[in-house]
Amino acid sequence: MIGNPGPERKYESIPADLDGDGTSDSRQDHIKSLNTFDGQFQMGVSIENHPAVTAIGSIESIDPATISDLARPSFVPFGLFGAELMVLNPSDPAEVTFYFSQPAEQGVKWFVHNPVDGWVDFSKQATFSPDRRSVKVKKRDWGYGDADGIPNGTVFDPGGFGIA
């Protein structure tokens, strides 16, 4: 999706319950999960309780070593998580929740990567949960958190947590 032929893992049904609701993520429409690029962790994205986002398209796990190292965070243990999100109205702000199989370390920030700006500290648009096993991220089609910059009803900007 980001135009990089490096190793990636497309959406796959995995036996996980990353949102902790007692039902496997693979059996629910509002969340999609996958193994990270190196198989060590799992990540998921949920649109539950986020009405501006109508659907999750494809998702992928991206090895940060396959992307430009210009301003790359020094520590990105889960890699980047790309999620194609469909929104109701392109100009409306949207929010999604990313879940992790292990808590994010204290002191990490949320970063996004796009072909124009490279690695961007996106922590002003991201709020980690108290247990650090999830983060809510704000995005807007044709604006912040959308790599293509086109008002097309789809938001995509791969992100992940790391240390600058």
Side-chain angles (χ1 to χ4, degrees):
M1 288 184 141
I2 62 172
N4 189 322
E8 60 188 43
R9 306 280 304 255
K10 296 291 185 192
Y11 171 70
E12 53 195 65
S13 180
I14 58 173
D17 180 20
L18 296 177
D19 62 358
D21 67 357
T23 303
S24 176
D25 298 343
S26 63
R27 299 180 60 117
Q28 301 177 78
D29 293 332
H30 70 270
I31 186 169
K32 287 187 178 181
S33 303
L34 53 63
N35 291 316
T36 57
F37 70 95
D38 60 5
Q40 292 186 34
F41 305 105
Q42 297 171 329
M43 290 182 75
V45 61
S46 173
I47 61 173
E48 185 173 40
N49 300 318
H50 304 301
V53 183
T54 59
I56 304 168
S58 63
I59 63 175
E60 63 183 322
S61 177
I62 305 162
D63 180 348
T66 65
I67 299 172
S68 163
D69 62 356
L70 183 62
R72 180 187 316 150
S74 62
F75 178 66
V76 189
F78 281 52
L80 292 177
F81 187 82
E84 179 184 43
L85 308 168
M86 281 42 124
V87 295
L88 191 58
N89 298 306
S91 62
D92 290 346
E95 186 176 66
V96 295
T97 303
F98 292 97
Y99 289 95
F100 321 117
S101 58
Q102 300 293 320
E105 292 81 359
Q106 291 292 331
V108 297
K109 295 181 177 184
W110 191 258
F111 290 88
V112 295
H113 183 276
N114 67 60
V116 175
D117 301 316
W119 292 89
V120 177
D121 179 347
F122 208 65
S123 52
K124 288 184 179 179
Q125 302 296 337
T127 305
F128 284 93
S129 65
D131 68 0
R132 317 262 318 149
R133 292 188 69 114
S134 66
V135 62
K136 289 187 180 194
V137 179
K138 296 175 184 174
K139 297 173 175 263
R140 178 177 279 170
D141 186 23
W142 194 31
Y144 55 88
D146 187 23
D148 68 11
I150 300 170
N152 56 6
T154 302
V155 178
F156 182 79
D157 208 1
F161 61 85
I163 297 175

